[in-house]
């Protein structure tokens, strides 16, 4: 079965073709980062309008890349939610219209299920069950995964998502959006041990997260450096040291909670997914933790950690193979708990 995947939940238009027998055939992405950069974040209306212009040319691109014709496509998978409603509407309307015109089924995919299953696009096999850490711009969740659609939420952020905290701290340090990769680069020039930031909510039991206090702690440290500087601006070294301490605190916090989740569930596989899972310090810290726990760590290649069409084509394909598809109505779901998903098997 060849599935066309369409991702338009936020500021990336991602299109891909996935074949249930041959694997990923092609994928293409347009990122709107340059368009939103001046605003320091995503402007929903601009995002929706841009998706409209990108989807069809990108579909032609993936067909060309894979050297197949549109008649060979068996089904369409699009992101139904969660996400920005206008942006979701674009992918849903175009996806369903194409499916209707071509006389093939369509399926609406949960964006976070897409992220969660993205490591399955890699060669190293991942078998159920496992613990998943979803760390993206909008989510920080620990989930017990017993199968596709069989999700139990173990813990989540009570305030900011990890990626959101990276983005906000980046703005404090004068770095461009999205902040995660920029902080990681700057942290590499930071001096270890100059600052030690708190590891929020690790001093009590439980698997929930909170990043807003850490953000305030970072802001106060920036202010202190500003006061101490002769020109009332933090020095480049101050900024690098702050980036390092912030990244270390997030990585240590996520690692402590992942260890707890593995111990609590008795599982021996940890999957990390979402944009922050591309972070190299996080991967290194989790690798050494799972080794001590006798467990393994799996993740997707960097371009499939952030939003992409391949993960939507893959997740949609699994649901279509299980006989699921949707009716003619277009119903984007901006807020959609993963636990409400229908199990596949
Ligand atoms: N190397 C990195 N280190 C830390 N954070 C990163 C890195 N690369 C990307 N990020 C962060 O990942 C986030 C983007 O990831 P993703 O595209 O999965 O999120 P999203 O789609 O905006 O949110 P959601 O999937 O929850 O709707 C941004 O917050 C970005 O700063
Ligand atoms: Mg995402």
């Amino acid at each position: 079965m060849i599935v066309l995947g369409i991702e338009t939940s936020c500021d990336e238009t991602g299109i891909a073709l996935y074949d249930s027998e041959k694997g990923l055939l092609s994928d293409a992405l347009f990122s709107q980062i340059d368009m939103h950069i001046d605003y320091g974040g995503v402007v929903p209306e601009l995002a929706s309008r841009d998706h409209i212009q990108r989807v069809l040319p990108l579909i032609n691109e993936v067909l060309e890349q894979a050297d197949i014709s549109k008649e060979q496509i068996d089904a369409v998978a699009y992101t139904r939610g969660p996400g920005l409603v206008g942006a979701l509407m674009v992918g849903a309307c175009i996806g369903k219209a194409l499916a209707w015109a071509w006389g093939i089924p369509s399926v609406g995919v949960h964006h976070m299920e897409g992220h969660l299953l993205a490591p399955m696009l890699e060669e190293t096999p991942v078998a159920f069950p496992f613990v998943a850490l979803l760390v993206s711009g909008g989510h920080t969740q620990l989930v017990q995964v017993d199968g596709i659609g069989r999700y139990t939420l173990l813990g989540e952020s009570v305030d900011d998502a990890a990626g959101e905290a990276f983005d906000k701290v980046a703005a404090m340090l004068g770095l461009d959006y999205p902040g995660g990769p920029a902080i990681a680069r700057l942290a590499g020039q930071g001096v270890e041990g100059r600052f030690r930031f708190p590891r929020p909510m690790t001093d009590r039991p439980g698997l929930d997260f909170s990043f807003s206090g850490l953000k305030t702690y970072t802001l106060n440290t920036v202010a202190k450096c500003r006061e101490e500087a002769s020109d009332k601006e933090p020095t480049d070294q101050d900024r690098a040291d702050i980036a390092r301490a912030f990244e270390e605190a997030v990585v240590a916090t996520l690692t402590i909670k992942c260890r707890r989740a593995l111990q609590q569930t008795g599982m021996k596989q940890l999957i990390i997914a979402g944009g922050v899972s591309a972070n190299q310090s996080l991967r290194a810290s989790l690798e050494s933790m799972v080794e001590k726990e006798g467990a393994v760590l799996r993740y997707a290649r960097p371009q499939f950690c952030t939003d992409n069409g391949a993960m939507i084509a893959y997740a949609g394909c699994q649901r279509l193979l299980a006989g699921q598809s949707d009716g003619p109505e277009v119903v984007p779901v901006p807020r959609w708990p993963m636990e409400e998903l229908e199990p596949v098997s």
Side-chain angles (χ1 to χ4, degrees):
M1 175 188 279
I2 297 182
V3 179
L4 171 69
I6 303 178
E7 156 60 38
T8 63
S9 70
C10 191
D11 59 341
E12 259 114 16
T13 320
I15 307 289
L17 286 167
Y18 180 80
D19 183 330
S20 55
E21 272 152 39
K22 295 184 188 147
L24 188 67
L25 300 180
S26 55
D27 78 294
L29 186 91
F30 181 83
S31 171
Q32 304 175 348
I33 283 174
D34 290 345
M35 198 173 78
H36 300 292
I37 212 161
D38 292 342
Y39 305 93
V42 179
V43 183
E45 180 59 23
L46 295 183
S48 315
R49 285 188 225 170
D50 202 66
H51 284 307
I52 295 174
Q53 294 180 48
R54 306 290 169 192
V55 174
L56 293 178
L58 286 175
I59 291 176
N60 284 330
E61 196 177 318
V62 293
L63 284 168
E64 232 168 81
Q65 254 185 53
D67 196 20
I68 69 162
S69 67
K70 57 185 187 303
E71 288 78 19
Q72 289 172 268
I73 298 174
D74 297 299
V76 178
Y78 60 90
T79 304
R80 179 184 285 156
L84 304 170
V85 70
L88 290 168
M89 195 63 109
V90 175
C93 287
I94 298 179
K96 292 187 75 82
L98 288 175
W100 188 74
W102 294 340
I104 56 176
S106 67
V107 68
V109 172
H110 192 290
H111 180 80
M112 299 313 293
E113 179 171 79
H115 275 304
L116 193 150
L117 299 178
M120 307 233 175
L121 289 161
E122 304 305 323
E123 295 223 331
T124 328
V126 183
F128 299 108
F130 53 79
V131 168
L133 172 72
L134 297 176
V135 265
S136 58
H139 295 78
T140 301
Q141 296 182 324
L142 271 164
V143 185
Q144 176 174 324
V145 181
D146 290 302
I148 295 175
R150 297 180 181 279
Y151 309 127
T152 310
L153 187 65
L154 301 171
E156 66 181 334
S157 177
V158 297
D159 42 57
D160 292 7
E164 191 182 353
F166 266 100
D167 295 335
K168 288 179 180 167
V169 165
M172 289 174 205
L173 297 176
L175 302 169
D176 279 338
Y177 172 86
I183 296 245
R185 270 193 303 276
L186 190 58
Q189 295 152 35
V191 175
E192 191 182 352
R194 176 170 166 208
F195 299 113
R196 191 185 188 280
F197 286 8
R199 277 68 168 143
M201 291 178 78
T202 54
D203 57 350
R204 68 198 84 163
L207 295 171
D208 283 339
F209 305 88
S210 164
F211 292 107
S212 100
L214 177 60
K215 211 175 53 189
T216 309
Y217 192 97
T218 309
L219 188 64
N220 291 341
T221 310
V222 174
K224 215 154 130 209
C225 290
R226 190 167 276 138
E227 260 168 44
E228 285 163 9
S230 53
D231 61 355
K232 299 295 163 206
E233 277 305 321
T235 64
D236 286 349
Q237 195 58 52
D238 289 339
R239 291 166 62 250
D241 295 345
I242 290 169
R244 179 161 187 145
F246 170 78
E247 185 183 50
E248 273 172 7
V250 174
V251 166
T253 304
L254 294 174
T255 305
I256 291 167
K257 299 282 170 154
C258 285
R259 186 200 296 124
R260 264 187 214 171
L262 288 174
Q263 290 173 349
Q264 187 177 308
T265 58
M267 290 191 182
K268 294 293 176 198
Q269 279 188 109
L270 176 68
I271 297 283
I272 52 169
V276 182
S277 73
N279 186 280
Q280 293 300 326
S281 305
L282 177 64
R283 289 181 176 194
S285 168
L286 290 174
E287 285 286 9
S288 88
M289 182 275 285
V290 294
E291 203 181 308
K292 287 182 203 133
E293 294 296 318
V296 292
L297 179 70
R298 300 272 181 262
Y299 40 74
R301 70 196 84 164
Q303 76 262 34
F304 293 160
C305 290
T306 44
D307 291 353
N308 63 87
M311 67 184 195
I312 300 304
Y314 178 82
C317 184
Q318 306 316 307
R319 290 192 168 272
L320 288 152
L321 288 172
Q324 295 180 16
S325 64
D326 50 25
E329 69 287 355
V330 177
V331 192
V333 192
R335 284 179 187 278
W336 188 5
M338 262 177 85
E339 284 176 308
E340 287 177 8
L341 287 175
E342 220 179 297
V344 156
S345 53

